Amino acid sequence: MRIIPVLDLKGGQVVRAEQGRRDRYRPIVTPLSGSADIVAVAEGLRSVHPFSTFYIADLDAIEGGIPNGEALARLTAATPGAPELWVDAGLADMAGFAAALATPSLCPVLGSESQKDAGALRRFRDRHDLILSLDFFAEGFRGPAELLDNAELWPNRVIVMTLAKVGSAAGPDFARLREIKARAGEREVIAAGGVRHETDLRELAGLGISAALVATSLHDGTLTGAQIAKLAMA
């Protein structure tokens, strides 16, 4: 079970997500960092465990605003070991994905909520560094129905993003993850939303989930470095 910490960016700062209600997101307050600066928070997270990958949601870009490119550049320059960055920046056009795919150490995330059709996924699905995020809000799936219904379009890595669970400490959406995994075949399925502790992660591993995106439990200390190390060795 691979643990991937999440950095939600808004206005140049890391914010604490709250069930997909982005108007409520505020700069994060965490014992792992003295500020909400992206480099400081990332360093704090790596004090828990030497994470090699970060997932970044550029919320300004996703909502059609100015991307947080400067913050991402600082993170890339400041983090030892050149971590792999999985970045959802609201990309929806061919040119944007092509440019992102050409950027070293960056894996672009094709978020279903940002897509108008399946064109970009059809063109780039065979790229090993492309990641699909199936985005579920409180009202259900958000994005073109074809992205959810046609599993043949899915790339090798698929995130099941249950935003209503994010920051809720309510546990992952096990039923949805089980259903998506059954359709995904040999593809990697990544859980996102609601992970509370080691027990949740072990249950996800039992379902064949290969990784989990985690934030709140790392900052709150309910998931520790020792537990992560043990899970990585299991």
Side-chain angles (χ1 to χ4, degrees), residues 2-234:
R2 184 180 180 192
I3 311 304
I4 300 171
V6 175
L7 297 167
D8 288 302
L9 279 178
K10 192 174 181 68
Q13 295 184 300
V14 178
V15 295
R16 185 176 281 255
E18 184 182 337
Q19 299 175 291
R21 300 169 180 171
R22 292 171 181 156
D23 59 319
R24 299 186 181 185
Y25 291 12
R26 297 292 182 269
I28 195 165
V29 176
T30 170
L32 302 180
S33 171
S35 75
D37 175 76
I38 188 171
V39 174
V41 176
E43 288 176 348
L45 288 164
R46 292 189 93 185
S47 72
V48 175
H49 181 80
F51 297 107
S52 60
T53 303
F54 286 96
Y55 173 92
I56 298 166
D58 187 337
L59 300 173
D60 293 314
I62 290 171
E63 295 179 338
I66 299 173
N68 287 278
E70 188 270 339
L72 285 175
R74 288 198 303 108
L75 176 63
T76 302
T79 310
E84 183 177 70
L85 304 180
W86 295 9
V87 181
D88 185 347
L91 294 176
D93 61 272
M94 302 294 183
F97 276 110
L101 288 164
T103 303
S105 300
L106 190 152
C107 295
V109 174
L110 188 153
S112 66
E113 70 163 302
S114 300
Q115 308 309 303
K116 295 179 180 178
D117 55 42
L121 182 57
R122 287 183 179 278
R123 177 171 174 180
F124 297 112
R125 62 178 175 171
D126 292 330
R127 289 289 302 259
H128 74 281
D129 42 358
L130 181 73
I131 303 164
L132 170 65
S133 179
L134 298 173
D135 300 327
F136 296 88
F137 285 71
E139 69 275 13
F141 180 70
R142 187 173 294 181
E146 186 179 11
L147 299 187
L148 176 62
D149 297 340
N150 189 356
E152 292 182 1
L153 288 179
W154 296 352
N156 287 329
R157 290 180 288 187
V158 180
I159 296 170
V160 180
M161 178 70 70
T162 308
L163 285 145
K165 294 275 189 177
V166 170
S168 68
D173 191 343
F174 291 110
R176 178 171 286 135
L177 286 159
R178 187 179 294 109
E179 187 270 330
I180 295 294
K181 179 59 183 174
R183 296 173 55 210
E186 297 301 313
R187 298 173 180 85
E188 292 184 45
V189 175
I190 298 103
V195 172
R196 298 165 293 188
H197 40 52
E198 182 182 359
T199 302
D200 282 344
L201 292 166
R202 291 194 178 279
E203 187 169 349
L204 289 171
L207 296 178
I209 304 303
S210 62
L213 305 185
V214 180
T216 301
S217 58
L218 292 172
H219 294 290
D220 293 350
T222 56
L223 183 62
T224 68
Q227 291 170 332
I228 294 169
K230 187 166 56 175
L231 286 162
M233 296 174 64

